[in-house]
Amino acid sequence: MNDTKIKPFTTEARSMLVISFTILILNILFYYFRFGGQQAILTASTLFPVVCSLFAVGSLVKIAFFLKTWDLTKAAWLMLAVGFLFWFLEQSTYAVYKLALGIAPVVPSVADIFWLCGIIPIFIALTLFIYGYHRTGFIIGSWLKYFFICLAISVLEIVLFYKLFMPVLYDPQINIAGKVFTLMYPVFDIFILMLAFFMVLITSLLGKGILSKPWKFLVTGFVLISVGDIIYSYYNWTGNYQTGSYLDITWNFGYLLIAVSAFYQKELMEKF
């Protein structure tokens, strides 16, 4: 399909992109200048992920209900919406813990349960997207590339196992439940990264036109969220994570890029 025959995106998708970069800049400025002291940083760093994840949920729900036919595509976007709804509940629960109760939740908490409930439909959604491309006859390129991605992810898994997993497993200060949930974040996120890189290969074959734009935003969003989770797991275990860290930006901007991808995909579907 020729991208040049498709009209460019309208202001709705572009507006969401502008909003996303505006919030990103506000994040950077707020964390750099530390406006209002520690309490303001605590409030902002806690509420930013709630707002950004809400953008993602709203955008994904919008595209899921925009699709009228119950097919593979609708199922995939709906699963994605359900997954991010749980992640929104995760961020909201953290906000209640920190701002309303004044405590830092210990892993595992209710928030971690919501994260785990969200990762399952998200994994299903990405798998459905990839399967859908294969079934509909889109060019997916050489299978050798996908093999090397699996190999690279396996190597990463081994490295993380010795650098992060093993020390956590033998840490006497962490109970069994804490160890399980601490390790779940990097383990599941690595699989999400693998599927995201599969999407990178597929979308790269669509060229640089507007057909590939929604998927590139989607993949970039997942990469940011997954990398943020993996780094957070290590920092949280070593006690080096601080409220209002620049690491928070990876989650916030990742959520916003997921929202942007949904807006672009909706407008792309409206054109056909």
Side-chain angles (χ1 to χ4, degrees), residues 56 60 76-77 79-81 83-84 87 115 118-127 129 188-197 199-200 214-230 250-251 253-259 261-262:
L60 292 169
W77 285 104
M79 284 288 100
L80 210 56
F84 275 89
W87 282 6
W115 176 85
I119 200 75
I120 298 171
I122 287 174
F123 186 85
I124 294 173
L126 291 177
T127 303
F129 281 135
F188 281 106
D189 279 314
I190 285 175
F191 284 108
I192 292 295
L193 274 178
M194 181 178 67
L195 294 178
F197 284 130
M199 293 290 293
V200 167
W215 304 107
K216 289 177 180 177
F217 281 120
L218 185 74
V219 168
T220 306
F222 271 115
V223 169
L224 287 173
I225 294 172
S226 299
V227 170
D229 278 345
I230 293 172
T250 61
W251 294 313
F253 197 46
Y255 286 134
L256 292 172
L257 290 182
I258 298 295
S261 72

Side-chain angles (χ1 to χ4, degrees), residues 59-248:
S59 304
L60 292 169
V61 168
K62 185 174 183 178
I63 189 175
F65 282 96
F66 170 78
L67 297 167
K68 305 303 180 184
T69 304
W70 280 95
D71 55 8
L72 197 65
T73 302
K74 185 179 180 71
W77 285 104
L78 187 58
M79 284 288 100
L80 210 56
V82 171
F84 275 89
L85 175 60
F86 278 115
W87 282 6
F88 164 72
L89 293 175
E90 173 206 5
Q91 299 297 343
S92 300
T93 304
Y94 275 126
V96 172
Y97 272 117
K98 294 179 181 179
L99 300 181
L101 302 179
I103 60 175
V106 178
V107 179
S109 66
V110 176
D112 297 305
I113 300 297
F114 281 133
W115 176 85
L116 181 60
C117 292
I119 200 75
I120 298 171
I122 287 174
F123 186 85
I124 294 173
L126 291 177
T127 303
L128 289 177
F129 281 135
I130 295 171
Y131 173 72
Y133 268 103
H134 176 64
R135 195 184 68 168
T136 53
F138 273 96
I139 299 174
I140 61 175
S142 171
W143 285 102
L144 189 61
K145 296 179 181 179
Y146 298 93
F147 168 77
F148 280 116
I149 285 183
C150 291
L151 183 62
I153 292 296
S154 299
V155 172
L156 178 61
E157 190 84 55
I158 294 172
V159 172
L160 286 177
F161 183 82
Y162 284 102
K163 294 292 185 180
L164 175 61
F165 300 172
M166 289 296 289
V168 171
L169 286 174
Y170 287 103
D171 191 333
Q173 297 181 348
I174 304 178
N175 58 33
I176 295 178
K179 291 178 181 180
V180 169
F181 273 87
T182 299
L183 297 179
M184 273 186 180
Y185 280 90
V187 169
F188 281 106
D189 279 314
I190 285 175
F191 284 108
I192 292 295
L193 274 178
M194 181 178 67
L195 294 178
F197 284 130
F198 283 174
M199 293 290 293
V200 167
L201 289 180
I202 294 172
T203 54
S204 66
L205 297 172
L206 296 175
K208 298 181 180 180
I210 65 175
L211 283 174
S212 63
K213 187 169 289 187
W215 304 107
K216 289 177 180 177
F217 281 120
L218 185 74
V219 168
T220 306
F222 271 115
V223 169
L224 287 173
I225 294 172
S226 299
V227 170
D229 278 345
I230 293 172
I231 297 175
Y232 168 77
S233 295
Y234 180 76
Y235 278 6
N236 187 55
W237 169 63
T238 58
N240 292 322
Y241 176 76
Q242 296 180 351
T243 300
S245 167
Y246 286 112
L247 179 62
D248 297 350

Side-chain angles (χ1 to χ4, degrees), residues 1-22:
M1 189 174 294
N2 192 347
D3 281 353
T4 59
K5 296 180 180 180
I6 305 174
K7 295 180 180 180
F9 290 108
T10 57
T11 56
E12 188 178 30
R14 290 178 178 176
S15 297
M16 186 64 231
L17 186 58
V18 171
I19 290 172
S20 299
F21 276 100
T22 301

